[in-house]
Amino acid sequence: MSLTFDGRVVLVTGAGGGLGREYALAFGERGAAVIVNDLGGDIKGGGKSSAAADRVVEEIKAKGGKAVANYDSVEDGEKLIQTALDAFGRIDIVINNAGILRDRSFGRTSDLDWDLIHRVHLRGSFLVTRAAWNHMKNQKFGRIIMTSSAAGIYGNFGQANYSAAKLGALGLSNTLAIEGQKYNIHCNTIAPTAGSRLTQTVMPPDLLESLKAEYVAPLVLWLCHEDCQENGSLFEVGAGWIGKLRWERSLGRIVRQKNLSMTPEAVRDTWDEICDFTDAGKPSSIQESLQTLVDVLSRVDTEDGIKANPTSTAVRINPSDAVGRSLSEMSFTYTHMNTILYALGVGMSTKDPDHLKFLFEGHEDFSCLPTFGVIPAQGSMMGLGSVPGLDIDFTRLLHGEQYLELFKPLPTSGTLTSKTTVADVLDKGSGMIILLDVHTYSGQDLVCYNQFSVFIVGAGGFGGKRTSERAVATAPPPNRPPDAVTVDKTSKDQAALYRLSGDWNPLHIDPSFAAMGGFKAPILHGLCSFGFATRHVLKQYAENDVSRFKSIKVRFVKPVYPGQSLQTEMWKEGNRIHIQCKVKETGGVVLSGAYIDLHAGSSVSRGPPEKEELQSDLVFAEIERRIKDVGGELVKKVNAVFGWEITKDGETVRQWTMDLKSGRGDLHREAYKGKTDVTFTVPDEIFMEVVKGKLNPQKAFFAGKLKIRGNIMLSQKLEMILKDYAKL
Ligand code: NAI
């Protein structure tokens, strides 16, 4: 789905040239109404002209876009926003981009050099954004971009004034992100690099030419789109590359001893450790930063000396502190491509006609497999890296268990947002278990709930609790042979295909990476076997009807190698189907303690048959005669139960069962008590058209006039039996 900005009003400051012009054009092209602000001065902040802004407005209009010019300085922030309100009645997006340069080595920097740079870059961004703020708050939507610079992040000779102002913009952005969050106002900062008049004095012409401003605009557009949940982040962008920055902090070292004064000598003597980035943390909030200090205070208080206070544990916090923490919200946009790719990834194939509804977006009953519900949520496991209190070694992470519950069938395309909380952290001695609860929404509607149980080998022993009432439990299967078994061979490329649904762990594709983990080859994703098992159950007990799926719980026990066969054993206990999945070739259990809960099937009888005679009744009378004639011979060959639902005006008015199983050979004018092998739903008149040879049954099927549930292959056997009525 392409990103559009219809109905959105965007202010781009300094949009008369360079990067700003590029943003303004890009927004204009994608439906936004644009306020093109530019003072039209020279590079050092002198002079004034309306020409620059006017040119860009004309360019946008020439392409059919909406735009107005504003010639005020960003120091008149209110006036810029007023232009937006006067012209378009609202303001949704502010791009703080206007800028000048007054480069001087530090010793020669005058007051004016300092002040002018700060007035335009930092104070200008403040004034413009503040003027827009309350409008954004009231409408509960706003997207703001601050423009920083590599000179601010890293420093640059001769740009002390500019560096300070540019990093000031980042500080402003960090706080706006926090204050704006609850009003859906997001603020992010970019540090762009592009050829423009600001860079022409510092870069060679060739490089200048190739660093196009149009390579920066797409990031700005995405960050400003309503689908983008990014907030409070910093990006470097240029030449078609985008990278995200964050802080890294060494574990540090406590240099103070209880009841002793802190000395510069202690700092000197521990300097290497203070500056050692081994196992560095990545604090992302002031709370995390303060937490470290609180922890240090208690440690200094309870311990008595530098030596007894080793660095590696000095600032580590208890994993139990992570309980209740929320991870950043994740947004996931998908189309039918993703759901089809997923279906292929879990072994759906066009070889099986009843898989078509998961593989063909034009199918009238096109559906998304229920287990696709893990896909929008799976990023939560990687998000664990940012949770304070957890110091996760991702090479030791195992996906232990999974629970998924759907509250409605998943849409076949759309945007879903997922909210993750750390539900609990358990100490299992040999490792730590983290329970992650992920709630996934479509708009305001809760679509599904996942619980990921993540096991971190070797991270136990921190004195936490061993069990949790928040964990969704597994359940052993009944003590009897399974009621049904499905065997399905995975393909050699199963993992290569499945990973395209968003699990890029090299363990599933790279032989040398797998070897490091002690596996003889890349292994299949546990969630892929999970998908296989679910579709086996859906087919066996729910006629592939996704609306019957309620929930699934599994424990991942052993890996599967792509190419091995999965054997799903099923036990039906009411609406609960217990499952156990094995590798057929080795007998090794892959999924244990697993079950799927189904919603009760619609056993609603569709009302008594009407008295009215149907055209098809005559045909069925003929079929009945025929079955009697051909006798047991055919029954042996076919061995299946066929059902028909004949409809009129969309209502089922007659049901027929042709029971050709286990030596029986009957036709009944009623629905079958058990499960038919295949059921045809067809309007009376279409049935007659097919019978009379006027309508090809395949065409009727693909046109949605004839519906088939169950094993569609059996319809061919039907042709064999009925001869004259071959088209059925
Ligand atoms: P540019 O000089 O082409 O564009 C800046 C525009 O801002 C000009 O059209 C100018 O007239 C306008 N402007 C200046 N003062 C103004 C004021 N008081 N009110 C309204 N408009 C004003 O420069 P460029 O390169 O497109 O820079 C855009 C932003 O990106 C600036 O904030 C700059 O500091 C930043 N930046 C650019 C880099 C690059 O490689 N081009 C590197 C790092 C940051």
PDB file of all heavy atoms in Angstrom, residues 14 16-20 37-41 72-74 97-100 120-121 147-150 162 166 192-199 203, ligand 1:
ATOM      1  N   GLY A  14      12.005  26.635   5.495  1.00  0.00           N
ATOM      2  CA  GLY A  14      13.179  26.698   4.613  1.00  0.00           C
ATOM      3  C   GLY A  14      13.007  25.818   3.394  1.00  0.00           C
ATOM      4  O   GLY A  14      13.921  25.114   2.977  1.00  0.00           O
ATOM      5  N   GLY A  16      12.383  26.696   0.309  1.00  0.00           N
ATOM      6  CA  GLY A  16      12.624  27.349  -0.986  1.00  0.00           C
ATOM      7  C   GLY A  16      13.722  26.695  -1.799  1.00  0.00           C
ATOM      8  O   GLY A  16      13.858  26.967  -2.997  1.00  0.00           O
ATOM      9  N   GLY A  17      14.517  25.836  -1.169  1.00  0.00           N
ATOM     10  CA  GLY A  17      15.590  25.176  -1.907  1.00  0.00           C
ATOM     11  C   GLY A  17      16.071  23.977  -1.123  1.00  0.00           C
ATOM     12  O   GLY A  17      15.463  23.601  -0.113  1.00  0.00           O
ATOM     13  N   GLY A  18      17.134  23.355  -1.586  1.00  0.00           N
ATOM     14  CA  GLY A  18      17.797  22.265  -0.871  1.00  0.00           C
ATOM     15  C   GLY A  18      16.860  21.159  -0.418  1.00  0.00           C
ATOM     16  O   GLY A  18      15.940  20.761  -1.140  1.00  0.00           O
ATOM     17  N   LEU A  19      17.083  20.694   0.797  1.00  0.00           N
ATOM     18  CA  LEU A  19      16.293  19.571   1.328  1.00  0.00           C
ATOM     19  C   LEU A  19      14.827  19.936   1.505  1.00  0.00           C
ATOM     20  O   LEU A  19      13.932  19.152   1.198  1.00  0.00           O
ATOM     21  CB  LEU A  19      16.883  19.154   2.680  1.00  0.00           C
ATOM     22  CG  LEU A  19      18.216  18.390   2.600  1.00  0.00           C
ATOM     23  CD1 LEU A  19      18.918  18.406   3.949  1.00  0.00           C
ATOM     24  CD2 LEU A  19      17.965  16.955   2.151  1.00  0.00           C
ATOM     25  N   GLY A  20      14.588  21.144   1.998  1.00  0.00           N
ATOM     26  CA  GLY A  20      13.214  21.566   2.279  1.00  0.00           C
ATOM     27  C   GLY A  20      12.346  21.513   1.030  1.00  0.00           C
ATOM     28  O   GLY A  20      11.194  21.056   1.075  1.00  0.00           O
ATOM     29  N   ASN A  37       7.457  27.404   3.388  1.00  0.00           N
ATOM     30  CA  ASN A  37       8.017  28.595   4.048  1.00  0.00           C
ATOM     31  C   ASN A  37       9.451  28.810   3.580  1.00  0.00           C
ATOM     32  O   ASN A  37      10.234  27.885   3.518  1.00  0.00           O
ATOM     33  CB  ASN A  37       7.993  28.392   5.572  1.00  0.00           C
ATOM     34  CG  ASN A  37       9.032  29.259   6.267  1.00  0.00           C
ATOM     35  OD1 ASN A  37      10.140  28.822   6.572  1.00  0.00           O
ATOM     36  ND2 ASN A  37       8.686  30.526   6.495  1.00  0.00           N
ATOM     37  N   ASP A  38       9.786  30.039   3.260  1.00  0.00           N
ATOM     38  CA  ASP A  38      11.198  30.398   3.067  1.00  0.00           C
ATOM     39  C   ASP A  38      11.344  31.904   3.105  1.00  0.00           C
ATOM     40  O   ASP A  38      10.607  32.637   2.467  1.00  0.00           O
ATOM     41  CB  ASP A  38      11.776  29.839   1.769  1.00  0.00           C
ATOM     42  CG  ASP A  38      13.280  29.603   1.888  1.00  0.00           C
ATOM     43  OD1 ASP A  38      14.039  30.585   2.062  1.00  0.00           O
ATOM     44  OD2 ASP A  38      13.690  28.425   1.829  1.00  0.00           O
ATOM     45  N   LEU A  39      12.343  32.295   3.872  1.00  0.00           N
ATOM     46  CA  LEU A  39      12.647  33.706   4.005  1.00  0.00           C
ATOM     47  C   LEU A  39      13.331  34.231   2.751  1.00  0.00           C
ATOM     48  O   LEU A  39      13.270  35.429   2.454  1.00  0.00           O
ATOM     49  CB  LEU A  39      13.574  33.855   5.229  1.00  0.00           C
ATOM     50  CG  LEU A  39      13.986  35.217   5.715  1.00  0.00           C
ATOM     51  CD1 LEU A  39      12.762  35.977   6.193  1.00  0.00           C
ATOM     52  CD2 LEU A  39      14.958  35.057   6.893  1.00  0.00           C
ATOM     53  N   GLY A  40      13.966  33.313   2.041  1.00  0.00           N
ATOM     54  CA  GLY A  40      14.648  33.697   0.806  1.00  0.00           C
ATOM     55  C   GLY A  40      15.874  34.548   1.008  1.00  0.00           C
ATOM     56  O   GLY A  40      16.215  35.374   0.159  1.00  0.00           O
ATOM     57  N   GLY A  41      16.556  34.330   2.133  1.00  0.00           N
ATOM     58  CA  GLY A  41      17.777  35.111   2.411  1.00  0.00           C
ATOM     59  C   GLY A  41      19.017  34.440   1.856  1.00  0.00           C
ATOM     60  O   GLY A  41      18.935  33.429   1.168  1.00  0.00           O
ATOM     61  N   ASP A  72       7.806  34.387   5.980  1.00  0.00           N
ATOM     62  CA  ASP A  72       8.287  34.860   7.279  1.00  0.00           C
ATOM     63  C   ASP A  72       9.502  34.064   7.736  1.00  0.00           C
ATOM     64  O   ASP A  72       9.708  32.932   7.343  1.00  0.00           O
ATOM     65  CB  ASP A  72       7.177  34.710   8.328  1.00  0.00           C
ATOM     66  CG  ASP A  72       6.019  35.643   8.036  1.00  0.00           C
ATOM     67  OD1 ASP A  72       6.277  36.853   7.883  1.00  0.00           O
ATOM     68  OD2 ASP A  72       4.877  35.155   7.914  1.00  0.00           O
ATOM     69  N   SER A  73      10.233  34.676   8.648  1.00  0.00           N
ATOM     70  CA  SER A  73      11.333  33.939   9.267  1.00  0.00           C
ATOM     71  C   SER A  73      10.748  32.953  10.273  1.00  0.00           C
ATOM     72  O   SER A  73       9.708  33.227  10.895  1.00  0.00           O
ATOM     73  CB  SER A  73      12.264  34.907   9.993  1.00  0.00           C
ATOM     74  OG  SER A  73      13.105  34.164  10.860  1.00  0.00           O
ATOM     75  N   VAL A  74      11.440  31.846  10.481  1.00  0.00           N
ATOM     76  CA  VAL A  74      10.983  30.886  11.496  1.00  0.00           C
ATOM     77  C   VAL A  74      10.955  31.533  12.883  1.00  0.00           C
ATOM     78  O   VAL A  74      10.312  31.010  13.792  1.00  0.00           O
ATOM     79  CB  VAL A  74      11.873  29.626  11.519  1.00  0.00           C
ATOM     80  CG1 VAL A  74      11.573  28.737  10.324  1.00  0.00           C
ATOM     81  CG2 VAL A  74      13.350  29.967  11.580  1.00  0.00           C
ATOM     82  N   ASN A  97      13.277  22.730   9.207  1.00  0.00           N
ATOM     83  CA  ASN A  97      14.376  22.484   8.285  1.00  0.00           C
ATOM     84  C   ASN A  97      15.192  23.736   7.982  1.00  0.00           C
ATOM     85  O   ASN A  97      16.361  23.656   7.598  1.00  0.00           O
ATOM     86  CB  ASN A  97      13.778  21.905   6.994  1.00  0.00           C
ATOM     87  CG  ASN A  97      14.761  21.918   5.852  1.00  0.00           C
ATOM     88  OD1 ASN A  97      15.643  21.067   5.787  1.00  0.00           O
ATOM     89  ND2 ASN A  97      14.628  22.887   4.942  1.00  0.00           N
ATOM     90  N   ALA A  98      14.590  24.912   8.164  1.00  0.00           N
ATOM     91  CA  ALA A  98      15.271  26.157   7.769  1.00  0.00           C
ATOM     92  C   ALA A  98      16.639  26.251   8.436  1.00  0.00           C
ATOM     93  O   ALA A  98      16.809  25.845   9.582  1.00  0.00           O
ATOM     94  CB  ALA A  98      14.425  27.359   8.179  1.00  0.00           C
ATOM     95  N   GLY A  99      17.593  26.774   7.723  1.00  0.00           N
ATOM     96  CA  GLY A  99      18.913  26.866   8.337  1.00  0.00           C
ATOM     97  C   GLY A  99      19.863  27.779   7.593  1.00  0.00           C
ATOM     98  O   GLY A  99      19.694  28.060   6.405  1.00  0.00           O
ATOM     99  N   ILE A 100      20.844  28.259   8.347  1.00  0.00           N
ATOM    100  CA  ILE A 100      21.918  29.073   7.773  1.00  0.00           C
ATOM    101  C   ILE A 100      23.234  28.582   8.375  1.00  0.00           C
ATOM    102  O   ILE A 100      23.233  27.758   9.300  1.00  0.00           O
ATOM    103  CB  ILE A 100      21.740  30.566   8.122  1.00  0.00           C
ATOM    104  CG1 ILE A 100      21.572  30.735   9.653  1.00  0.00           C
ATOM    105  CG2 ILE A 100      20.524  31.142   7.394  1.00  0.00           C
ATOM    106  CD1 ILE A 100      21.641  32.181  10.106  1.00  0.00           C
ATOM    107  N   VAL A 120      17.955  30.949  14.424  1.00  0.00           N
ATOM    108  CA  VAL A 120      17.285  30.285  13.298  1.00  0.00           C
ATOM    109  C   VAL A 120      17.069  28.795  13.589  1.00  0.00           C
ATOM    110  O   VAL A 120      15.950  28.280  13.510  1.00  0.00           O
ATOM    111  CB  VAL A 120      18.104  30.458  11.999  1.00  0.00           C
ATOM    112  CG1 VAL A 120      17.476  29.642  10.861  1.00  0.00           C
ATOM    113  CG2 VAL A 120      18.186  31.934  11.627  1.00  0.00           C
ATOM    114  N   HIS A 121      18.148  28.096  13.946  1.00  0.00           N
ATOM    115  CA  HIS A 121      18.038  26.636  14.061  1.00  0.00           C
ATOM    116  C   HIS A 121      17.247  26.199  15.289  1.00  0.00           C
ATOM    117  O   HIS A 121      16.295  25.419  15.179  1.00  0.00           O
ATOM    118  CB  HIS A 121      19.431  25.994  14.106  1.00  0.00           C
ATOM    119  CG  HIS A 121      20.146  26.037  12.794  1.00  0.00           C
ATOM    120  ND1 HIS A 121      19.948  25.088  11.816  1.00  0.00           N
ATOM    121  CD2 HIS A 121      21.045  26.912  12.279  1.00  0.00           C
ATOM    122  CE1 HIS A 121      20.700  25.367  10.766  1.00  0.00           C
ATOM    123  NE2 HIS A 121      21.377  26.481  11.015  1.00  0.00           N
ATOM    124  N   THR A 147      15.707  18.968  12.592  1.00  0.00           N
ATOM    125  CA  THR A 147      16.861  18.683  11.750  1.00  0.00           C
ATOM    126  C   THR A 147      18.138  18.953  12.531  1.00  0.00           C
ATOM    127  O   THR A 147      18.407  20.091  12.912  1.00  0.00           O
ATOM    128  CB  THR A 147      16.823  19.540  10.479  1.00  0.00           C
ATOM    129  OG1 THR A 147      15.560  19.328   9.839  1.00  0.00           O
ATOM    130  CG2 THR A 147      17.939  19.138   9.537  1.00  0.00           C
ATOM    131  N   SER A 148      18.875  17.897  12.777  1.00  0.00           N
ATOM    132  CA  SER A 148      20.169  18.020  13.433  1.00  0.00           C
ATOM    133  C   SER A 148      21.261  17.898  12.376  1.00  0.00           C
ATOM    134  O   SER A 148      21.004  18.174  11.188  1.00  0.00           O
ATOM    135  CB  SER A 148      20.299  16.940  14.508  1.00  0.00           C
ATOM    136  OG  SER A 148      21.486  17.130  15.229  1.00  0.00           O
ATOM    137  N   SER A 149      22.408  17.459  12.760  1.00  0.00           N
ATOM    138  CA  SER A 149      23.512  17.389  11.811  1.00  0.00           C
ATOM    139  C   SER A 149      24.625  16.524  12.394  1.00  0.00           C
ATOM    140  O   SER A 149      24.790  16.464  13.627  1.00  0.00           O
ATOM    141  CB  SER A 149      24.045  18.802  11.573  1.00  0.00           C
ATOM    142  OG  SER A 149      25.312  18.741  10.977  1.00  0.00           O
ATOM    143  N   ALA A 150      25.378  15.898  11.513  1.00  0.00           N
ATOM    144  CA  ALA A 150      26.542  15.139  11.981  1.00  0.00           C
ATOM    145  C   ALA A 150      27.488  16.060  12.738  1.00  0.00           C
ATOM    146  O   ALA A 150      28.160  15.641  13.681  1.00  0.00           O
ATOM    147  CB  ALA A 150      27.252  14.492  10.800  1.00  0.00           C
ATOM    148  N   TYR A 162      27.039  26.146  15.284  1.00  0.00           N
ATOM    149  CA  TYR A 162      26.090  25.278  14.568  1.00  0.00           C
ATOM    150  C   TYR A 162      25.940  23.926  15.287  1.00  0.00           C
ATOM    151  O   TYR A 162      24.827  23.433  15.481  1.00  0.00           O
ATOM    152  CB  TYR A 162      26.631  25.114  13.143  1.00  0.00           C
ATOM    153  CG  TYR A 162      25.828  24.264  12.206  1.00  0.00           C
ATOM    154  CD1 TYR A 162      24.648  24.740  11.637  1.00  0.00           C
ATOM    155  CD2 TYR A 162      26.274  22.997  11.837  1.00  0.00           C
ATOM    156  CE1 TYR A 162      23.936  23.963  10.741  1.00  0.00           C
ATOM    157  CE2 TYR A 162      25.567  22.218  10.934  1.00  0.00           C
ATOM    158  CZ  TYR A 162      24.397  22.699  10.386  1.00  0.00           C
ATOM    159  OH  TYR A 162      23.691  21.937   9.494  1.00  0.00           O
ATOM    160  N   LYS A 166      22.488  22.482  16.720  1.00  0.00           N
ATOM    161  CA  LYS A 166      21.951  21.264  16.105  1.00  0.00           C
ATOM    162  C   LYS A 166      21.738  20.155  17.126  1.00  0.00           C
ATOM    163  O   LYS A 166      20.778  19.391  17.024  1.00  0.00           O
ATOM    164  CB  LYS A 166      22.903  20.788  14.992  1.00  0.00           C
ATOM    165  CG  LYS A 166      22.776  21.598  13.712  1.00  0.00           C
ATOM    166  CD  LYS A 166      21.323  21.700  13.283  1.00  0.00           C
ATOM    167  CE  LYS A 166      21.123  21.944  11.818  1.00  0.00           C
ATOM    168  NZ  LYS A 166      19.702  22.224  11.500  1.00  0.00           N
ATOM    169  N   PRO A 192      20.793  14.840   8.258  1.00  0.00           N
ATOM    170  CA  PRO A 192      20.895  14.494   6.846  1.00  0.00           C
ATOM    171  C   PRO A 192      22.260  14.854   6.261  1.00  0.00           C
ATOM    172  O   PRO A 192      22.997  15.658   6.832  1.00  0.00           O
ATOM    173  CB  PRO A 192      19.819  15.373   6.210  1.00  0.00           C
ATOM    174  CG  PRO A 192      19.783  16.595   7.078  1.00  0.00           C
ATOM    175  CD  PRO A 192      20.150  16.146   8.465  1.00  0.00           C
ATOM    176  N   THR A 193      22.564  14.250   5.145  1.00  0.00           N
ATOM    177  CA  THR A 193      23.686  14.735   4.337  1.00  0.00           C
ATOM    178  C   THR A 193      23.221  14.792   2.892  1.00  0.00           C
ATOM    179  O   THR A 193      22.717  13.788   2.367  1.00  0.00           O
ATOM    180  CB  THR A 193      24.901  13.803   4.443  1.00  0.00           C
ATOM    181  OG1 THR A 193      25.262  13.701   5.817  1.00  0.00           O
ATOM    182  CG2 THR A 193      26.081  14.360   3.669  1.00  0.00           C
ATOM    183  N   ALA A 194      23.335  15.969   2.309  1.00  0.00           N
ATOM    184  CA  ALA A 194      22.910  16.132   0.916  1.00  0.00           C
ATOM    185  C   ALA A 194      23.621  17.333   0.324  1.00  0.00           C
ATOM    186  O   ALA A 194      23.969  18.278   1.042  1.00  0.00           O
ATOM    187  CB  ALA A 194      21.398  16.342   0.858  1.00  0.00           C
ATOM    188  N   GLY A 195      23.813  17.259  -0.963  1.00  0.00           N
ATOM    189  CA  GLY A 195      24.421  18.396  -1.649  1.00  0.00           C
ATOM    190  C   GLY A 195      23.443  19.563  -1.645  1.00  0.00           C
ATOM    191  O   GLY A 195      22.298  19.417  -2.062  1.00  0.00           O
ATOM    192  N   SER A 196      23.870  20.710  -1.156  1.00  0.00           N
ATOM    193  CA  SER A 196      23.012  21.902  -1.179  1.00  0.00           C
ATOM    194  C   SER A 196      23.928  23.103  -1.070  1.00  0.00           C
ATOM    195  O   SER A 196      25.144  22.959  -0.945  1.00  0.00           O
ATOM    196  CB  SER A 196      22.030  21.890  -0.009  1.00  0.00           C
ATOM    197  OG  SER A 196      22.696  22.301   1.163  1.00  0.00           O
ATOM    198  N   ARG A 197      23.347  24.266  -1.032  1.00  0.00           N
ATOM    199  CA  ARG A 197      24.211  25.443  -0.926  1.00  0.00           C
ATOM    200  C   ARG A 197      24.932  25.489   0.411  1.00  0.00           C
ATOM    201  O   ARG A 197      25.957  26.128   0.550  1.00  0.00           O
ATOM    202  CB  ARG A 197      23.420  26.718  -1.186  1.00  0.00           C
ATOM    203  CG  ARG A 197      22.382  27.006  -0.116  1.00  0.00           C
ATOM    204  CD  ARG A 197      21.651  28.290  -0.415  1.00  0.00           C
ATOM    205  NE  ARG A 197      20.977  28.760   0.782  1.00  0.00           N
ATOM    206  CZ  ARG A 197      20.408  29.940   0.894  1.00  0.00           C
ATOM    207  NH1 ARG A 197      20.425  30.777  -0.125  1.00  0.00           N
ATOM    208  NH2 ARG A 197      19.816  30.297   1.999  1.00  0.00           N
ATOM    209  N   LEU A 198      24.372  24.801   1.434  1.00  0.00           N
ATOM    210  CA  LEU A 198      25.041  24.784   2.734  1.00  0.00           C
ATOM    211  C   LEU A 198      26.272  23.892   2.714  1.00  0.00           C
ATOM    212  O   LEU A 198      27.141  24.002   3.564  1.00  0.00           O
ATOM    213  CB  LEU A 198      24.092  24.308   3.841  1.00  0.00           C
ATOM    214  CG  LEU A 198      22.969  25.238   4.289  1.00  0.00           C
ATOM    215  CD1 LEU A 198      22.360  24.735   5.600  1.00  0.00           C
ATOM    216  CD2 LEU A 198      23.443  26.664   4.469  1.00  0.00           C
ATOM    217  N   THR A 199      26.302  22.933   1.791  1.00  0.00           N
ATOM    218  CA  THR A 199      27.438  22.007   1.782  1.00  0.00           C
ATOM    219  C   THR A 199      28.399  22.265   0.627  1.00  0.00           C
ATOM    220  O   THR A 199      29.448  21.641   0.559  1.00  0.00           O
ATOM    221  CB  THR A 199      26.943  20.542   1.725  1.00  0.00           C
ATOM    222  OG1 THR A 199      25.848  20.467   0.831  1.00  0.00           O
ATOM    223  CG2 THR A 199      26.540  20.028   3.072  1.00  0.00           C
ATOM    224  N   MET A 203      32.198  20.336   0.421  1.00  0.00           N
ATOM    225  CA  MET A 203      32.268  19.044  -0.265  1.00  0.00           C
ATOM    226  C   MET A 203      32.700  19.219  -1.708  1.00  0.00           C
ATOM    227  O   MET A 203      32.342  20.202  -2.348  1.00  0.00           O
ATOM    228  CB  MET A 203      30.892  18.386  -0.272  1.00  0.00           C
ATOM    229  CG  MET A 203      30.488  17.798   1.033  1.00  0.00           C
ATOM    230  SD  MET A 203      28.957  16.905   0.793  1.00  0.00           S
ATOM    231  CE  MET A 203      28.382  16.779   2.445  1.00  0.00           C
TER     232      MET A 203
HETATM  233  P1  NAI B   1      19.597  25.235   2.097  1.00  0.00           P
HETATM  234  O1  NAI B   1      20.384  26.462   2.382  1.00  0.00           O
HETATM  235  O2  NAI B   1      19.526  24.768   0.712  1.00  0.00           O
HETATM  236  O3  NAI B   1      18.148  25.404   2.637  1.00  0.00           O
HETATM  237  C1  NAI B   1      17.844  26.114   3.809  1.00  0.00           C
HETATM  238  C2  NAI B   1      16.711  27.043   3.522  1.00  0.00           C
HETATM  239  O4  NAI B   1      16.312  27.685   4.723  1.00  0.00           O
HETATM  240  C3  NAI B   1      17.072  28.140   2.560  1.00  0.00           C
HETATM  241  O5  NAI B   1      16.211  28.106   1.443  1.00  0.00           O
HETATM  242  C4  NAI B   1      16.927  29.406   3.350  1.00  0.00           C
HETATM  243  O6  NAI B   1      16.435  30.501   2.598  1.00  0.00           O
HETATM  244  C5  NAI B   1      15.958  29.018   4.408  1.00  0.00           C
HETATM  245  N1  NAI B   1      16.063  29.834   5.603  1.00  0.00           N
HETATM  246  C6  NAI B   1      17.182  30.299   6.207  1.00  0.00           C
HETATM  247  N2  NAI B   1      16.863  31.014   7.276  1.00  0.00           N
HETATM  248  C7  NAI B   1      15.521  31.051   7.363  1.00  0.00           C
HETATM  249  C8  NAI B   1      14.611  31.634   8.265  1.00  0.00           C
HETATM  250  N3  NAI B   1      15.030  32.360   9.309  1.00  0.00           N
HETATM  251  N4  NAI B   1      13.301  31.436   8.060  1.00  0.00           N
HETATM  252  C9  NAI B   1      12.855  30.725   7.014  1.00  0.00           C
HETATM  253  N5  NAI B   1      13.681  30.155   6.113  1.00  0.00           N
HETATM  254  C10 NAI B   1      15.007  30.309   6.292  1.00  0.00           C
HETATM  255  O7  NAI B   1      20.206  24.100   3.038  1.00  0.00           O
HETATM  256  P2  NAI B   1      19.940  22.524   3.152  1.00  0.00           P
HETATM  257  O8  NAI B   1      21.225  21.869   2.994  1.00  0.00           O
HETATM  258  O9  NAI B   1      18.809  22.104   2.368  1.00  0.00           O
HETATM  259  O10 NAI B   1      19.647  22.397   4.712  1.00  0.00           O
HETATM  260  C11 NAI B   1      18.400  22.147   5.257  1.00  0.00           C
HETATM  261  C12 NAI B   1      18.571  21.775   6.724  1.00  0.00           C
HETATM  262  O11 NAI B   1      19.360  20.603   6.845  1.00  0.00           O
HETATM  263  C13 NAI B   1      19.284  22.833   7.527  1.00  0.00           C
HETATM  264  O12 NAI B   1      18.704  22.886   8.816  1.00  0.00           O
HETATM  265  C14 NAI B   1      20.696  22.312   7.649  1.00  0.00           C
HETATM  266  O13 NAI B   1      21.367  22.801   8.765  1.00  0.00           O
HETATM  267  C15 NAI B   1      20.446  20.836   7.716  1.00  0.00           C
HETATM  268  N6  NAI B   1      21.566  20.025   7.330  1.00  0.00           N
HETATM  269  C16 NAI B   1      21.946  19.921   6.016  1.00  0.00           C
HETATM  270  C17 NAI B   1      23.015  19.135   5.658  1.00  0.00           C
HETATM  271  C18 NAI B   1      23.366  18.914   4.251  1.00  0.00           C
HETATM  272  O14 NAI B   1      24.256  18.061   3.996  1.00  0.00           O
HETATM  273  N7  NAI B   1      22.769  19.613   3.313  1.00  0.00           N
HETATM  274  C19 NAI B   1      23.861  18.493   6.691  1.00  0.00           C
HETATM  275  C20 NAI B   1      23.338  18.589   8.004  1.00  0.00           C
HETATM  276  C21 NAI B   1      22.243  19.354   8.293  1.00  0.00           C
END
